[in-house]
Structure formats: C-alpha cells, structure tokens
C-alpha cells in the first residue's frame, strides 16, 4: 500500500473516532447547567417532617430539567420515609429516605448517592434544619449528612448527657422543695414527705428504677412529671411494669400501700399525667405510641380509690394525633387536654408566606373524657398573638373557680420567657376571662 494512502486511512479513522467521541460526550453530558446545593433550599412550613419533604422534593425536581447534563438528569423520584430524629427550639434533625431513578442506566453521577437497586438509587440522609430568625415558619437546611453517621453522633451525645445527669445527682439525691414531696435514695428507694423534708416515710413498695423507666424516655433520679400525686389524703405513683400500667397508692400517708393494675392496652408511653379529685375519684391521661411528631392518647378513671380503672374510650384518641402538652381533671367529669399552638393554616400573605394560627389548642370534656369540645381562650389583643401559645392544665381554687396559665412554650423570650397569662373561669372551664400576667415559682431541688 502506498504510504500516502495509508496516511489517508489513518487520518480518516482518527477523524471518525473523534466525531464518535464528540457525539458520545454530547449524548452523555448534554447542555451544561449547574445544580443548586440542597443547603440553598428552604421550606415555608413550621412542621419539620413536612418541611424536609418539601425541601428534598424541590431539590430533586431540578434534576428532572432538560437543561441538566444527561449524566445529571433523573426521570423520577419519591419519598420513602421521614421522621424527626431530634428537635430543639431552633435546630431540628430530620431523617429522610428517598429514591431517584437516573435517566441514564450507567453513565450518571448518582452512583455514590446511595444504594443502587433495580435501576433506582436509594438515599438515606439526615437534614439539619434551622428556623429562620426572621420568620419561625421558615426552615432552612444547614447540613445534609449521611443518616447513620448523624444517628451515631446523636446517640453518643445523648449518652454523654445522660452520664452528666447521673453525675449531677450525686448521693444523697436532691428532692423537690415542696411541702408534699419525695426523694430517691442511693439504694433506688423512694421516700415521701408531707412536711417539706423534715421527716420521711418508709420506702414505697416500688423502686425508682421502675418508676423512672418509661418506654419513650428514661429519667434519671427524678420521677416523670405528672406520674405521681402527693397529698396527706391521697398519694399515688403510676408506672409501667411487665406489660401493664400500675397504680401504687396510699390514703394514710405511706403507712400502707395498695397496688392495682390500670391497663395493658397502652405501650411506649411518653407521658403519664395523674391526679385525684377526692380519695375515691382519680384520673390518668396517657400519651403513648409516639411516631415522629404524632402519638395516641387515652383517659382512665377510678371511682373506688384506685382499686379498679375504666378506659373512657376513643374520645381523646380521636381528637387529634398531635403530641400532648398538658392535661388534667378538676372534677370526676370535667377535664382538659392541651396541645400547644394550633398551627392551623389561616391563609397566605401577599409575599406568598403561609400564615399559621399560634393560638392555644385547648379542649374540654364534661363526661369524663368520652367526648371533648375545643375551647377558645380570649388572649388580649394587646399581646402579640405568637407570644402566649400553650395552655397549661387548669386547677381548682379554694373558692371553686378555675385558674389557667397560658405560657410561652419552650422557646419564649417575652420578659425572660417565664411570664404567663392567667385566666379565670366561673363555670368549670366553659368560658374564661383574662386576669393578669403571672410568673410561677420555679421548683427548687435541694439536698
């Protein structure tokens, strides 16, 4: 073959190869467009779980654009699972598991995003959300991390905090500085005092290890708030053991105790709120089976001094799945449940921001918890609607009137955050009138 002919063949072959590579690269890469990082997205939704889903959906939607390089393009995506991992007042961690389907089966950039399964990439991420300082209804993404890594970090943080709590409560343990109170000894015994700690009863027949062990939360050397009731006329402790909720109670200031079963129908309890309106009439409100930011509720009553308990049906359970904040009864029939700010959607501003109702979501029953009706509290218009957002459980005053405190929630900062609004009712809580600002005393733990 003539050398010039051979050179022409090589040149032609090389040119065709370059052309094929160019066509291949154009098909794979396509038009050029940079993607926005997920940290640049936010959601106008105060509910962290829903906000995380909105953010991830908006983030993935950009990869469906035809302006994206083909190697960075997806044909579809979906949310598999979302749950709140840890929540503070301004910082929330949310676990979100989602999938995406790359447009190209092999030559794409999503291989290291997650596990590949049947043409889909399954991603397991943890988003760190921060509330916008200018608008608490807006959540911004500050970190996007591997779920298992963040879960391990949070578990280690919780372990260190638990160790710190245990070290803080050195023996002898402190006790709530009240006339009717309790203390926990170094042998996990629980003693009761009716004279502000000057003298103590013999240990009650249940150890603190049992009393402090709720399925949803482990308490350290302090009893779950609401699970005990201490007066000279009636003293009781509610706890879980061996698949049942139990009530240990005494009517003679701890000289003798009786233990009765309440129910085996609840599980993974988060709150046990209990009390008595007389030596014979008692009540228990249970929040249980927490799933992310939802949970179930149940109400139980006793009319024979705690020997037997009656489930009041699905009135509380069907009311809402929101997490309970406060609750209690003032008579055997009249009781209340509070769920913090209602956060119902009221509308949208001209700028496109959602408007949510911050007023307290507060319910009343007059048939022992079988049914409930919502009560609107008249928050004075002189106060910003977003300051006082959570109704506490009403209490019966000596004159028969009811008093109710509405607090600022966990992140309130009005006059230091502890100031509440006090309301009075003369008709067992059907209607309320504003009384005054009120600052409750803090309970001191002394030694």
């Amino acid at each position: 073959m003539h050398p010039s002919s051979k050179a022409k063949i090589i040149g032609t072959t090389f040119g065709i190869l370059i052309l094929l590579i160019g066509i291949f690269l154009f098909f794979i890469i396509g038009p050029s467009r940079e993607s926005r990082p997920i940290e640049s997205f936010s959601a106008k939704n105060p509910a962290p779980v829903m906000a995380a889903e909105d953010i991830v959906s908006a983030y993935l939607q950009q990869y469906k654009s035809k302006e994206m390089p083909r190697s960075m393009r997806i044909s579809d995506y979906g949310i598999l699972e979302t749950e709140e991992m840890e929540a503070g007042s301004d910082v929330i961690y949310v676990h979100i598991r989602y999938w995406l389907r790359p447009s190209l089966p092999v030559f794409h950039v999503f291989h290291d995003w997650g596990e590949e399964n049947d043409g889909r990439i399954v991603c397991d991420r943890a988003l760190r959300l921060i509330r916008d300082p200018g608008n608490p209804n807006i959540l911004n993404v500050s970190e996007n991390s591997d779920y298992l890594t963040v879960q391990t970090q949070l578990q280690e943080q919780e372990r260190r905090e638990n160790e710190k709590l245990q070290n803080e409560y050195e023996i002898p343990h402190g006790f709530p500085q009240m006339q009717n109170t309790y203390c926990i000894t170094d042998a996990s015994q629980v003693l009761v005092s009716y004279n502000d700690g000057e003298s103590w009863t013999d240990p009650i027949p249940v150890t603190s290890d049992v009393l402090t062990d709720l399925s949803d939360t482990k308490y350290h050397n302090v009893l779950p708030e609401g699970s005990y009731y201490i007066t000279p006329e009636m003293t009781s402790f509610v706890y879980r053991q061996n698949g049942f909720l139990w009530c240990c109670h005494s009517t003679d200031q701890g000289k003798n105790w009786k233990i009765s079963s309440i129910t085996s129908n609840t599980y993974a309890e988060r709150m046990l709120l209990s009390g008595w309106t007389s030596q014979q009439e008692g009540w228990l409100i249970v929040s249980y089976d927490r799933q992310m930011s939802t949970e179930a509720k149940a109400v139980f009553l006793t009319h024979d001094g705690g020997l037997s308990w009656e489930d009041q049906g699905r009135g509380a359970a069907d009311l809402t799945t929101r997490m309970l904040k406060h609750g209690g009864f003032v008579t055997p029939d009249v009781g209340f449940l509070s769920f913090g700010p209602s956060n119902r959607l009221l509308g949208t501003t001209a700028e496109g921001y959602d408007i949510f109702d911050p007023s307290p979501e507060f319910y009343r029953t007059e048939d022992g918890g079988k049914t409930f009706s919502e009560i609107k509290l008249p928050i004075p218009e002189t106060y910003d609607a977003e300051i006082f957002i959570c109704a506490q459980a009403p209490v019966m005053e000596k004159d028969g009137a009811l008093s109710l405190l509405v607090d600022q929630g966990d992140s309130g900062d009005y006059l230091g955050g502890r100031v509440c609004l006090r309301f009075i009712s003369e008709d067992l809580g059907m209607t309320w009138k504003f009384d005054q600002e009120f600052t409750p005393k803090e309970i001191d733990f002394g030694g």
Side-chain angles (χ1 to χ4, degrees):
M1 181 179 293
H2 194 275
S4 61
S5 299
K6 185 177 180 180
K8 289 181 180 179
I9 293 174
I10 294 174
T12 302
T13 303
F14 183 74
I16 293 173
L17 181 61
I18 294 298
L19 178 62
L20 290 175
I21 292 174
I23 294 173
F24 177 77
L25 290 176
F26 179 80
F27 177 76
I28 295 297
I29 298 176
S32 176
R33 174 183 168 182
E34 293 185 358
S35 61
R36 287 175 55 196
I38 195 170
E39 289 80 5
S40 67
F41 286 82
S42 62
K44 293 182 291 185
N45 195 322
V49 168
M50 297 177 64
E53 293 182 358
D54 292 345
I55 288 170
V56 169
S57 294
Y59 172 64
L60 294 177
Q61 187 64 34
Q62 67 178 330
Y63 290 98
K64 296 184 71 174
S65 171
K66 292 183 179 180
E67 297 181 6
M68 278 290 177
R70 288 181 175 86
S71 60
M72 297 176 60
R73 198 180 302 172
I74 63 176
S75 60
D76 201 3
Y77 65 86
I79 307 295
L80 295 174
E81 179 185 2
T82 316
E83 64 176 345
E84 195 171 290
M85 299 173 65
E86 183 174 279
S89 57
D90 297 315
V91 179
I92 308 100
Y93 283 92
V94 176
H95 168 217
I96 183 162
R97 192 164 178 262
Y98 59 91
W99 62 268
L100 58 90
R101 189 182 300 277
S103 295
L104 298 179
V106 178
F107 300 101
H108 58 76
V109 299
F110 304 103
H111 293 287
D112 60 349
W113 280 38
E115 296 183 2
E116 299 191 40
N117 185 8
D118 194 25
R120 301 192 310 179
I121 308 293
V122 179
C123 310
D124 222 4
R125 308 299 293 174
L127 299 184
R128 184 175 185 265
L129 305 180
I130 298 181
R131 295 197 182 278
D132 191 290
N135 187 340
N137 291 327
I138 297 179
L139 287 168
N140 303 308
V141 181
S142 67
E143 292 179 13
N144 170 33
S145 307
D146 174 69
Y147 164 64
L148 292 179
T149 300
V150 173
Q151 183 185 46
T152 301
Q153 292 173 347
L154 293 178
Q155 289 174 344
E156 177 63 17
Q157 178 180 329
E158 181 181 11
R159 185 189 66 79
R160 291 177 179 176
E161 290 176 352
N162 290 342
E163 287 183 354
K164 181 180 178 181
L165 279 173
Q166 289 175 327
N167 293 334
E168 286 177 352
Y169 288 100
E170 295 180 356
I171 305 305
H173 300 305
F175 59 89
Q177 296 291 295
M178 298 180 291
Q179 181 176 352
N180 302 311
T181 187
Y182 72 89
C183 76
I184 298 175
T185 71
D186 56 352
S188 298
Q189 297 173 323
V190 177
L191 314 180
V192 177
S193 174
Y194 301 94
N195 54 15
D196 200 13
E198 292 184 13
S199 62
W200 298 91
T201 66
D202 290 333
I204 74 171
V206 187
T207 65
S208 65
D209 292 341
V210 175
L211 294 178
T212 59
D213 190 15
L214 287 184
S215 299
D216 187 77
T217 307
K218 178 65 179 178
Y219 291 78
H220 297 276
N221 298 320
V222 61
L223 301 184
E225 185 177 356
S227 68
Y228 60 92
Y229 181 89
I230 303 175
T231 66
E233 297 75 27
M234 173 59 81
T235 301
S236 64
F237 298 86
V238 178
Y239 58 96
R240 163 169 284 277
Q241 188 177 40
N242 298 329
F244 282 81
L245 287 183
W246 302 85
C247 179
C248 176
H249 52 281
S250 171
T251 55
D252 57 8
Q253 299 187 26
K255 295 180 177 66
N256 297 282
W257 295 90
K258 296 178 180 179
I259 297 179
S260 56
S261 65
I262 301 173
T263 184
S264 62
N265 294 330
T266 64
Y267 48 91
E269 293 85 1
R270 185 180 66 88
M271 295 180 70
L272 300 174
L273 304 179
S274 62
W276 299 80
T277 55
S278 71
Q279 278 194 339
Q280 296 299 309
E281 306 286 344
W283 52 270
L284 171 65
I285 300 170
V286 184
S287 70
Y288 66 101
D289 189 25
R290 176 180 175 181
Q291 302 291 330
M292 295 182 288
S293 57
T294 67
E295 64 184 1
K297 272 78 63 179
V299 175
F300 301 89
L301 298 183
T302 179
H303 306 289
D304 56 10
L307 298 180
S308 62
W309 294 80
E310 300 175 3
D311 189 335
Q312 299 304 293
R314 294 197 54 82
D318 293 338
L319 193 61
T320 177
T321 60
R322 297 188 62 202
M323 294 179 65
L324 183 68
K325 293 292 187 181
H326 300 280
F329 279 74
V330 293
T331 75
D333 297 318
V334 177
F336 302 87
L337 298 177
S338 172
F339 297 91
S342 69
N343 286 332
R344 295 187 180 95
L345 182 63
L346 299 177
T348 306
T349 66
E351 294 79 16
Y353 294 110
D354 291 335
I355 303 174
F356 296 91
D357 182 7
S359 64
E361 187 171 353
F362 183 58
Y363 295 90
R364 175 182 183 272
T365 179
E366 56 184 27
D367 56 12
K370 293 181 174 64
T371 60
F372 287 83
S373 57
E374 188 167 7
I375 301 295
K376 290 295 184 181
L377 298 173
I379 306 294
E381 295 182 358
T382 52
Y383 296 100
D384 189 315
E386 296 182 355
I387 296 178
F388 298 100
I389 56 177
C390 185
Q392 299 182 11
V395 296
M396 179 82 73
E397 302 291 351
K398 292 181 179 180
D399 60 0
L402 300 186
S403 65
L404 164 70
L405 297 181
V406 178
D407 62 43
Q408 303 178 42
D410 297 332
S411 57
D413 58 5
Y414 174 74
L415 296 181
R418 296 193 61 245
V419 174
C420 302
L421 297 185
R422 185 172 185 262
F423 294 81
I424 300 295
S425 174
E426 306 285 350
D427 54 11
L428 289 178
M430 288 189 291
T431 60
W432 296 86
K433 61 181 180 181
F434 172 67
D435 180 41
Q436 61 179 347
E437 287 189 5
F438 183 84
T439 303
K441 294 182 179 180
E442 289 187 292
I443 296 177
D444 178 39
F445 276 73

